[in-house]
């Protein structure tokens, strides 16, 4: 990741933002799917798909989320694997928490924010070590 490492790291941060920002939206817009009950598995599956994909807000969040997956896949070709997972997974948790907070979800106290600082410091150290 030495050559173009910064660009690859920023690509992975973008993936984390896209995934993290859409996770609370997917949760909120997918609500109610647990109430769908059908006789057989095929009808159950089809009604669940209908519930999700006829909801334009869910579908938009899903497409944005999947665009993050495309960037992730493309970045895997050149990024160092030892950085891909720590950067994307840890930062996705941060962006999910912040997005949820912006959407009115209850988020824990100062422990959450102290943990976020440690995660960012750890990711920064990983990136600096590899670049």
């Amino acid at each position: 990741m030495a050559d173009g490492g910064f660009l690859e790291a920023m690509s992975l941060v973008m993936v984390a933002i896209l995934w993290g920002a859409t996770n609370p939206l997917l949760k909120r817009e997918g609500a109610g799917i647990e109430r769908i009950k059908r006789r057989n598995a095929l009808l159950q599956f089809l009604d669940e798909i209908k519930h999700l994909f006829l909801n334009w807000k869910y579908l938009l969040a899903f497409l944005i989320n999947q665009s993050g997956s495309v960037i992730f896949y493309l970045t895997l070709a050149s990024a160092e694997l030892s950085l891909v997972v720590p950067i994307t997974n840890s930062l996705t948790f941060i962006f999910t928490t912040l997005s949820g907070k912006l959407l009115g979800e209850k988020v824990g106290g100062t422990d959450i924010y102290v943990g976020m600082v440690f995660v960012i410091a750890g990711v920064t150290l990983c990136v600096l070590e590899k670049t």
Side-chain angles (χ1 to χ4, degrees):
M1 193 158 160
D3 297 336
F6 181 75
L7 181 61
E8 291 167 352
M10 289 299 101
S11 296
L12 295 173
V13 170
M14 178 57 71
V15 169
I17 290 170
L18 291 170
W19 285 348
T22 56
N23 284 340
L25 293 171
L26 291 169
K27 178 182 171 186
R28 184 175 72 183
E29 297 305 326
I33 196 168
E34 66 279 353
R35 291 189 303 266
I36 297 173
K37 303 288 185 218
R38 297 296 176 257
R39 291 190 293 258
N40 66 50
L42 180 60
L43 290 176
Q44 178 75 26
F45 175 73
L46 292 174
D47 276 356
E48 288 174 358
I49 294 295
K50 179 180 153 188
H51 173 79
L52 295 175
F53 285 92
L54 291 181
N55 178 347
W56 72 269
K57 291 178 184 177
Y58 179 88
L59 191 56
L60 180 61
F62 178 76
L63 291 173
I64 293 169
N65 183 283
Q66 291 306 296
S67 70
S69 297
V70 170
I71 296 170
F72 179 78
Y73 178 76
L74 293 173
T75 307
L76 279 178
S78 59
E80 193 167 321
L81 195 55
S82 64
L83 289 178
V84 171
V85 173
I87 290 174
T88 53
N89 288 348
S90 58
L91 293 181
T92 296
F93 286 124
I94 289 175
F95 291 118
T96 298
T97 302
L98 293 174
S99 298
K101 177 84 170 155
L102 288 173
L103 291 171
E105 291 181 6
K106 298 284 186 195
V107 177
T110 54
D111 296 2
I112 296 292
Y113 299 107
V114 170
M116 287 180 182
V117 169
F118 283 127
V119 167
I120 291 170
V123 168
T124 302
L125 289 174
C126 286
V127 171
L128 291 176
E129 173 64 25
K130 298 291 182 175
T131 56

